[in-house]
Amino acid sequence: MDALDASKLLNEELYSRQLYVLGSPAMQKIRGARVLLSGLQGLGAEVAKNLVLMGVGSLTLHDPHSTCWSDLAAQFLLSEQDLKRSRAEASQELLAQLNRDVKVIVHKGDITEDLLMDFQVVVLTAAKLEEQLKVGTLCHKHGICFLAADTRGLVGQLFCDFGENFTVQDPTEAEPLTAAIQHISQGSPGVLTLRKGANTHYFCDGDLVTFSGIEGMVELNDCAPRSIHVRKDGSLEIGDTATFSRYLRGGAITEVKRPKTVRHKSLHTALLQPHVVAQNSQEVHRAHCLHQAIRALHKFEHLHDRPPQPWDPVDAERVVGLAQDLEPLKWTEEEQLEQPLDEALVRTVALSSAGVLSPMVALLGAVAAQEVLKAISRKFMPLDQWLYFDALDCLPEDGELLPSPEDCSPRGSRYDGQIAVFGAGFQEKLSRQHYLLVGAGAIGCELLKGFALVGLGAGKSGGLTVADMDHIELSNLSRQFLFRSQDIGKPKAEVAAAAAQGLNPDLQVIPLTYPLDPTTERIYGDNFFSHVDGVAAALDSFQARRYVAARCTHYLKPLLEAGTSGTRGSAKVFVPHVTEAYKAPDSAAASEDTSYPVCTVRYFPSTAEHTLQWARNEFEGLFRLSAETINHHQQAHTSLTDMDGAQTLTLLKSVFGVLRERPQNWQDCVAWALGHWELCFHYGIKQLLRHLPRNKDTHLLYILAAANLYAQMHGLPDSRDRTALRELLKLLPQPDPQQMVPIFPSNPELASASAEFGPEQLKELNKALEVWSVGPPLKPLMFEKDDDSNFHVDFVAAAARLRCQNYGIPPANRAQSKLIVGQIIPAIATTTAAVAGLVILELYKVVGGPRPRSAFRHSYLRLAENYLIRYMPSAPAIQTFHHLKWTCWDRLKVPAGQPERTLESLLAHLQEQHGLRVRMLLYHAALLYSARWSTEKQAQCLPLRVTELVQRVTGQVPVPELRVLVLQLSCEDEEEDTAFPPLHYEL
C-alpha cells in the first residue's frame, strides 16, 4: 500500500505542541498514512477523534449499524437526531470539521481482503470475535498492522499485531543524551572526559554514540556510532583513537538510539497465548482472568444473540460457567503456572458488562490511537500484545449497595449505557451536581465532553461553571477538539461552554472569563463556593494548581486534577478528610521559575539553557526595555541624570550602537545589527571571515533577525531576503570596535552596577537621546513564541547558538530553543484524552457517596512506554499539639457573635475551649497580635473588635460577601514544624 503524498508543508503552528512529542519525520509519516476504522460506537469515536486531531492523512470509517439510545452515553459525535442513522455516516461530518487536512471517508460495504490492502493500519472496535479473527488473520498475512479494541462496562481490552518483524526506529520519548567534551586522549582505547557539570551518570556501558564540532581530532566528527565503556571516574572509553589527530578543543558527544525489533503473533495464536502488559504477577493473573471473562462474553453473545442483561444474576452465572468451560490458556516453560480462575471477578464483569461508559472509551480510545501512531511512525515501543484495564473499583465495595436489574434497565434515555452500569438512582445524583471546571484548554475540553456525556449537572437543579481567561489560538486546535478555526481569538470558556451544550442540550454551563486567583476572590468567594459540590482542575502551571487546591482545602471541596507532558500524564483525586490534600511535586518550583546565577549566565555559561537565558535577556533589553525607556523620556522630558544610573545608560548605548540618530531605512537596521553582532561575538570569533562564509549561516540568521526586530521597533519596512542581505553586508563598512560601547548585556538587571560613565559620555548619550526622542514613539516588542514569522524565536535561537560556539557548548536547535525559552509543554491529544478519562472514573466515586480511601486511585501513565499505574492516595497527615489532633482538612471555628467579640475575648475563647495560649495571630501575613508586644500596645489592640483590628492593620474593610476571616496562629510551647489548623472567624 502506497502512502498518501505528504510532501506538502506541514502546518507547524497547528501541530506545534505535538511536534515536540513526535518530531517532524514521524509527523510526515502520519500525514501520509491511510487508516481503516471499523466500529463507530463510543470507543470508535474516541479513536477517530484522536487520529483526526493528530493529522493522519486519511481515515476511512466503517459501521453500517444504526445509532441507538445506548450509543449516546459515550459517542459524542451522535445526538438524538441521529437515531436510526448509520453511525459512520452520522459521525463523518463532525469528524471532518476537526481537521480539514484529514480525509474522512465512509465505506459502506463489507470488509474484504481487497479492501484491507489499501491501508497501513486497520482498527476494529466493539467487533464480534469472529470478525476480529477473520480480519486479524488477513492483516497478519499481508503485513498490515492490526488493532482490536473493546470496552465492556468498566473493563477495557486492546490487542495489537504489528507483524513478525516490526522495527521500531525510536523506542523512547527521551531526547538523545548530549554532553560537552573537555578532552579526548589518543590511544587504544581513547578516553573522553566530559566538561565539568555534564551529567556523566546518564551514559551507560554499551551505549552507542557519535561526535560533532570537535577541533583537532576531526576524524570523530559524524563518525559511525561507537560503543562506549563508562569508567569509575565518569570518563568514557570510546574505542581506538591512536592514529587520529591530536584533540584541540570543543565538540559534543551524542547518544545514538538503537532500533528494536518486535515480533507479534496473530490474534488467532495470541488468543490462547496472551502476553499481557502488567507490572507484577498479581496484575498478570487479573489480566488473564479478564481475558477469559471477555472470551466468555463473546461466547454468551454467540449462543444467545444478545449481551447479558444489566446486573442479571442468572446471565452472570451463565458467563461464569462459560468461562470455566473455555479451552485453557497455553503457557511456555518460561511463563508462570496457570492460576485458578477468579470466578468473583468474572461474575462482576458479567453483571456490569452491558453498559458503555464515556471515561472508559476515552482512556482505551486514547491508548488505541497512540498505538496506531506507533504503527505508522515506528516511534515508541508498541504494546506486547494485550492490554487489559479495569475500573471495577468504581462500583460500591458494599454488595448491598450494588444496583438492581430494575434500576439498570433501559429507559430510552441518552444515559442508558451508563445506567446499565450504575443505575438510574446514581444518574439522578450526577444530574444534581454543581461542579467548577478551572481551565478550558486541552484537558478542560476533554473533561467538558466527558461531563456532558455522563450528565454531570444536567438536571434542573444542577450545573457546571467553566473558568478560563485565555483566548483560542491556532496551536490549540490539534488537541482542544471543542474549538474550530472560526473560533480563533474568542474566549475559551465561552466557546467550550457552548460546544459542551451542543453535545448535551440538558447541560447547564456558565462560562466565566476571570482567572481564579487572589485578585478575583470577590467573584469566586464564599457565596460562589457554597453552591459548588466539587472542582476539576485542568491547569498548566503548578502555581495555579496550588491556589485552586488551597481554595478546595479552605472550602472542603473534593478536587479532581490532571496534567500532561508529552505522552506522560497524571490524574489525581483529593477528598476532604479521606485523602491527603494536593501538594505540588518537589521539582515544581524549579521547573516553573528556572533562573540561573547572574554571573553564570553572563560570564561562565556551561549549558545551552544558560545561553538561551542570556539571549532572552538580550531580546528584552534591546527590543522592549530600550523602547519603553526612550518613550518615557519622550513623554516626561527627563535627562539621563534623572534615570537609573549605569543600568539605563548601558541599555541605551546598546540600542544606539553604531548609529548616532534613528534608523531611517533597512540598511540602517542591518548596520546596527552587524555592529551588535560584532559587539557580542567578536572576541570569540575574530577569525571569522567578514563576508560570512556558507558554513556560518547562524551568523547571517542572527543579523537578519536582529535587523528585522530593530526595524519593527522603529516602524520601518523589513526584509526576509537572505541573498540580498549577504550582498548588503559586503557593502557595509566593518564596525570599528573602538567606536562601540564596551561589552555589557542589554538587560539592565544584568548590567554592572559599577559601570561608570564620565561627563563626556553622559553628554554624548544625552545628545543622542534628544535626537532619538524626536519622532513617533517606538514600539516595544513583547516576546511571542508562537508566531514563527516575527523573528522573536529566530533571534534568541541564533544568539544562543553563537554564544554556545564561543564557549564550546553543544547548542540547542531552533525547536529546542523555542521549547525552553517559551516554556512550552509538549502535548498530544492521546495523553489528554486518557487523563480526562481517568479523572472521570474518580468522579464516579466522589459523586457516588462516602467511600473509604481504598476506593480512590491516583494514576500515572506513559503512553510511549506502555506504562500505567494506579495507586491509593495517601491519608492526610495527622499533627498533634498537647491534646489536639488535626489534619490539613480541619480548622478551628469561632463565631464572631452578636455583638462581635473583641480580640481579647477571642484569645480567651481559644485558651478556654482549646487550651491554646496564642503567641501570634495573623491575617494574610499581616500581624494582628503578638504576645511579645509591649503592655501599652496590647492595651490598644485587645479591646478592638476583630474586624475593626483587621481593618486598622490592613487598611481594608472586609467585603459584605465575606463569611469567614481566615486567621493563622502560633502558640506558646509549639514545636518548630507545627502548623496549626486555620482559625475560621465566622462573621
Side-chain angles (χ1 to χ4, degrees):
M1 202 270 332
D2 295 328
L4 294 172
D5 179 15
S7 59
K8 67 178 184 177
L9 289 176
L10 187 69
N11 189 334
E12 293 190 3
E13 187 175 357
L14 174 63
Y15 299 111
S16 61
R17 304 302 185 265
Q18 183 173 310
L19 279 165
Y20 287 115
V21 183
L22 299 175
S24 185
M27 275 302 304
Q28 292 292 352
K29 292 179 182 178
I30 291 166
R31 290 293 302 120
R34 287 189 175 96
V35 178
L36 171 64
L37 171 63
S38 179
L40 265 295
Q41 292 174 286
L43 180 54
E46 287 290 332
V47 176
K49 176 257 297 177
N50 293 326
L51 293 178
V52 171
L53 287 175
M54 293 187 292
V56 70
S58 170
L59 179 65
T60 298
L61 309 177
H62 172 261
D63 191 332
H65 299 96
S66 298
T67 303
C68 60
W69 278 110
S70 61
D71 292 335
L72 304 187
Q75 222 284 28
F76 67 95
L77 298 169
L78 303 176
S79 67
E80 286 88 341
Q81 288 72 38
D82 297 315
L83 293 171
K84 298 186 179 180
R85 283 187 67 195
S86 154
R87 294 185 191 123
E89 293 178 1
S91 301
Q92 178 188 21
E93 183 178 352
L94 288 177
L95 279 172
Q97 291 176 8
L98 293 179
N99 190 342
R100 294 299 185 185
D101 288 345
V102 177
K103 295 179 181 179
V104 182
I105 305 162
V106 172
H107 174 70
K108 298 181 180 180
D110 294 333
I111 296 179
T112 64
E113 186 169 4
D114 287 342
L115 175 71
L116 295 174
M117 299 296 290
D118 288 335
F119 301 98
Q120 291 166 269
V121 185
V122 173
V123 185
L124 303 187
T125 69
K128 293 182 177 181
L129 183 57
E130 294 80 4
E131 181 76 359
Q132 294 179 32
L133 289 167
K134 183 190 81 171
V135 174
T137 299
L138 291 173
C139 287
H140 192 83
K141 171 184 173 183
H142 294 292
I144 301 165
C145 294
F146 170 74
L147 294 90
D150 199 2
T151 64
R152 303 295 184 108
L154 289 161
V155 176
Q157 174 196 63
L158 175 61
F159 171 77
C160 296
D161 172 14
F162 292 177
E164 298 176 4
N165 191 26
F166 183 84
T167 301
V168 183
Q169 301 294 342
D170 188 355
T172 65
E173 187 174 8
E175 289 290 322
L177 297 174
T178 298
I181 299 170
Q182 180 68 38
H183 184 263
I184 305 174
S185 68
Q186 292 173 300
S188 182
V191 177
L192 181 150
T193 306
L194 297 173
R195 284 184 60 171
K196 186 177 180 180
N199 293 318
T200 58
H201 59 280
Y202 288 149
F203 285 102
C204 301
D205 281 350
D207 281 352
L208 295 179
V209 298
T210 189
F211 309 87
S212 61
I214 295 174
E215 295 183 36
M217 197 177 285
V218 295
E219 294 89 343
L220 285 175
N221 288 333
D222 300 319
C223 67
R226 289 184 159 222
S227 179
I228 63 170
H229 170 66
V230 182
R231 304 172 72 173
K232 290 182 179 180
D233 62 358
S235 60
L236 309 176
E237 295 180 2
I238 61 171
D240 190 358
T241 61
T243 61
F244 290 177
S245 308
R246 185 171 64 87
Y247 174 82
L248 295 178
R249 68 182 66 84
I253 178 173
T254 302
E255 174 195 18
V256 177
K257 290 190 176 182
R258 296 175 183 265
K260 293 186 177 181
T261 299
V262 171
R263 306 188 189 282
H264 281 173
K265 302 171 184 175
S266 68
L267 176 61
H268 187 273
T269 302
L271 194 63
L272 293 179
Q273 298 178 8
H275 192 285
V276 298
V277 177
Q279 305 301 322
N280 53 56
S281 59
Q282 287 183 326
E283 288 188 13
V284 170
H285 178 237
R286 187 175 182 88
H288 286 155
C289 292
L290 294 173
H291 182 82
Q292 296 297 74
I294 300 297
R295 289 180 65 199
L297 287 171
H298 280 295
K299 187 71 172 178
F300 182 98
E301 292 169 3
H302 179 74
L303 293 173
H304 301 279
D305 200 26
R306 64 171 178 83
Q309 295 297 318
W311 293 94
D312 184 332
V314 176
D315 280 356
E317 291 306 319
R318 290 172 178 162
V319 173
V320 172
L322 290 170
Q324 293 170 330
D325 295 338
L326 285 171
E327 182 180 354
L329 302 179
K330 298 177 182 178
W331 308 100
T332 62
E333 292 182 2
E334 293 79 15
E335 291 175 310
Q336 64 180 48
L337 295 175
E338 183 179 2
Q339 298 184 36
L341 182 71
D342 186 338
E343 295 181 8
L345 176 61
V346 175
R347 185 175 296 107
T348 303
V349 172
L351 288 167
S352 57
S353 64
V356 181
L357 300 174
S358 164
M360 288 296 299
V361 302
L363 175 60
L364 267 293
V367 178
Q370 188 69 52
E371 294 305 303
V372 172
L373 296 192
K374 293 176 184 179
I376 296 167
S377 66
R378 296 178 181 262
K379 186 177 179 72
F380 308 146
M381 290 296 291
L383 286 172
D384 188 25
Q385 288 185 263
W386 290 96
L387 171 69
Y388 280 93
F389 174 85
D390 79 90
L392 294 169
D393 44 68
C394 291
L395 297 172
E397 293 183 349
D398 186 348
E400 297 295 323
L401 300 177
L402 292 172
S404 65
E406 296 75 24
D407 195 32
C408 297
S409 60
R411 284 160 168 73
S413 158
R414 66 177 301 118
Y415 308 116
D416 275 358
Q418 187 165 263
I419 289 172
V421 178
F422 294 112
F426 177 76
Q427 189 63 49
E428 180 62 24
K429 272 189 178 182
L430 279 170
S431 71
R432 292 196 302 264
Q433 295 289 302
H434 284 264
Y435 257 72
L436 167 64
L437 171 62
V438 189
I443 297 174
C445 283
E446 286 287 344
L447 287 174
L448 266 179
K449 175 206 69 182
F451 293 163
L453 293 175
V454 304
L456 183 69
K460 293 181 180 179
S461 60
L464 290 174
T465 300
V466 55
D468 196 311
M469 63 180 290
D470 288 343
H471 291 70
I472 299 167
E473 301 173 355
L474 176 58
S475 62
N476 300 148
L477 302 187
S478 67
R479 304 175 319 286
Q480 301 171 19
F481 78 101
L482 295 182
F483 306 148
R484 304 290 182 270
S485 57
Q486 62 268 26
D487 298 323
I488 293 174
K490 297 177 182 178
K492 287 184 177 181
E494 295 177 1
V495 175
Q501 287 176 313
L503 296 178
N504 184 348
D506 295 332
L507 200 65
Q508 312 293 317
V509 190
I510 299 173
L512 294 177
T513 56
Y514 310 102
L516 192 68
D517 62 27
T519 67
T520 57
E521 289 186 2
R522 291 194 65 173
I523 299 170
Y524 306 102
D526 295 347
N527 184 61
F528 177 87
F529 274 96
S530 68
H531 296 93
V532 168
D533 293 304
V535 177
L539 297 161
D540 58 4
S541 83
F542 288 111
Q543 180 182 359
R545 289 175 184 171
R546 277 191 290 264
Y547 179 79
V548 171
R551 293 284 84 194
C552 290
T553 304
H554 173 72
Y555 290 109
L556 297 179
K557 303 298 180 182
L559 171 65
L560 299 158
E561 187 272 334
T564 68
S565 177
T567 67
R568 292 166 292 172
S570 66
K572 297 184 177 181
V573 56
F574 304 95
V575 183
H577 302 296
V578 177
T579 73
E580 62 187 346
Y582 172 84
K583 291 183 294 186
D586 294 336
S587 60
S591 65
E592 289 202 337
D593 186 25
T594 301
S595 59
Y596 305 100
V598 171
C599 61
T600 299
V601 171
R602 185 176 174 188
Y603 297 120
F604 308 111
S606 60
T607 67
E609 287 78 7
H610 294 158
T611 66
L612 285 164
Q613 181 67 62
W614 176 87
R616 182 72 168 80
N617 295 339
E618 280 281 294
F619 180 96
E620 288 297 306
L622 292 172
F623 307 118
R624 182 177 71 83
L625 296 175
S626 60
E628 292 175 350
T629 300
I630 293 171
N631 290 344
H632 175 73
H633 169 79
Q634 199 173 25
Q635 295 167 2
H637 303 290
T638 55
S639 69
L640 288 174
T641 55
D642 300 323
M643 295 186 181
D644 186 17
Q647 294 184 348
T648 300
L649 300 177
T650 302
L651 177 67
L652 291 176
K653 293 204 73 172
S654 294
V655 79
F656 295 163
V658 297
L659 304 179
R660 291 296 175 260
E661 58 184 29
R662 280 197 182 198
Q664 303 298 311
N665 51 42
W666 171 244
Q667 181 171 323
D668 287 346
C669 296
V670 173
W672 173 86
L674 180 60
H676 200 73
W677 167 80
E678 178 81 19
L679 170 68
C680 291
F681 308 110
H682 169 77
Y683 294 102
I685 51 173
K686 59 173 63 177
Q687 302 305 318
L688 177 69
L689 293 177
R690 176 173 166 243
H691 298 311
L692 306 178
R694 293 180 183 274
N695 65 341
K696 298 297 181 182
D697 285 344
T698 302
H699 302 282
L700 185 72
L701 176 59
Y702 175 86
I703 293 175
L704 178 67
N708 272 279
L709 294 174
Y710 203 64
Q712 292 171 25
M713 186 172 73
H714 289 88
L716 296 172
D718 53 18
S719 171
R720 300 172 184 276
D721 190 334
R722 296 194 183 199
T723 302
L725 177 62
R726 287 181 183 275
E727 295 304 312
L728 178 57
L729 288 170
K730 294 177 183 178
L731 302 176
L732 290 175
Q734 179 76 3
D736 183 358
Q738 301 300 319
Q739 300 298 317
M740 291 188 294
V741 61
I743 293 182
F744 289 119
S746 306
N747 186 338
E749 292 183 2
L750 302 183
S752 172
S754 63
E756 295 183 0
F757 290 82
E760 290 301 317
Q761 289 179 303
L762 285 173
K763 182 178 178 180
E764 288 296 318
L765 278 174
N766 261 317
K767 182 179 178 181
L769 182 60
E770 290 301 323
V771 172
W772 278 59
S773 296
V774 176
L778 300 182
K779 178 186 177 183
L781 302 184
M782 308 303 291
F783 186 79
E784 170 51 55
K785 65 183 183 295
D786 285 322
D787 182 355
D788 284 337
S789 67
N790 63 11
F791 286 102
H792 293 198
V793 173
D794 293 305
F795 173 83
V796 171
R801 192 172 186 87
L802 290 176
R803 194 161 175 83
C804 282
Q805 289 179 11
N806 285 168
Y807 284 88
I809 299 169
N813 60 32
R814 188 187 186 281
Q816 293 166 336
S817 299
K818 181 177 178 179
L819 181 76
I820 295 168
V821 175
Q823 295 183 323
I824 294 172
I825 301 174
I828 192 168
T830 47
T831 318
T832 299
V835 297
L838 290 166
V839 163
I840 297 178
L841 289 173
E842 298 308 305
L843 173 72
Y844 284 147
K845 304 170 188 178
V846 173
V847 173
R851 294 284 185 93
R853 182 169 59 94
S854 59
F856 295 100
R857 296 290 184 272
H858 289 338
S859 300
Y860 178 72
L861 60 85
R862 297 196 297 264
L863 292 179
E865 300 167 38
N866 308 314
Y867 180 84
L868 170 59
I869 184 171
R870 300 173 76 220
Y871 56 98
M872 184 171 61
S874 299
I878 297 175
Q879 295 201 58
T880 61
F881 180 73
H882 298 332
H883 63 286
L884 292 178
K885 289 185 179 181
W886 70 91
T887 73
C888 59
W889 299 105
D890 294 313
R891 63 279 329 275
L892 299 170
K893 295 183 180 181
V894 178
Q898 289 293 335
E900 185 190 345
R901 68 173 70 239
T902 64
L903 173 61
E904 185 174 23
S905 68
L906 173 61
L907 298 176
H909 175 86
L910 291 172
Q911 184 165 358
E912 293 168 5
Q913 297 296 318
H914 302 288
L916 299 176
R917 291 186 296 128
V918 176
R919 183 175 62 190
M920 284 194 300
L921 193 66
L922 299 97
Y923 176 70
H924 287 187
L927 186 61
L928 302 181
Y929 168 78
S930 172
R932 286 11 177 213
W933 280 349
S934 66
T935 304
E936 180 181 354
K937 188 168 184 179
Q938 289 194 30
Q940 293 174 354
C941 295
L942 289 173
L944 297 177
R945 290 179 289 110
V946 175
T947 53
E948 183 182 4
L949 179 61
V950 168
Q951 181 179 347
R952 177 178 296 187
V953 172
T954 65
Q956 299 175 352
V957 180
V959 297
E961 299 89 352
L962 195 64
R963 299 182 182 183
V964 172
L965 291 178
V966 182
L967 309 179
Q968 294 84 42
L969 57 88
S970 64
C971 295
E972 302 288 351
D973 303 324
E974 72 176 63
E975 295 183 6
E976 198 170 302
D977 59 348
T978 302
F980 282 97
L983 172 59
H984 280 208
Y985 184 73
E986 299 175 335
L987 303 176

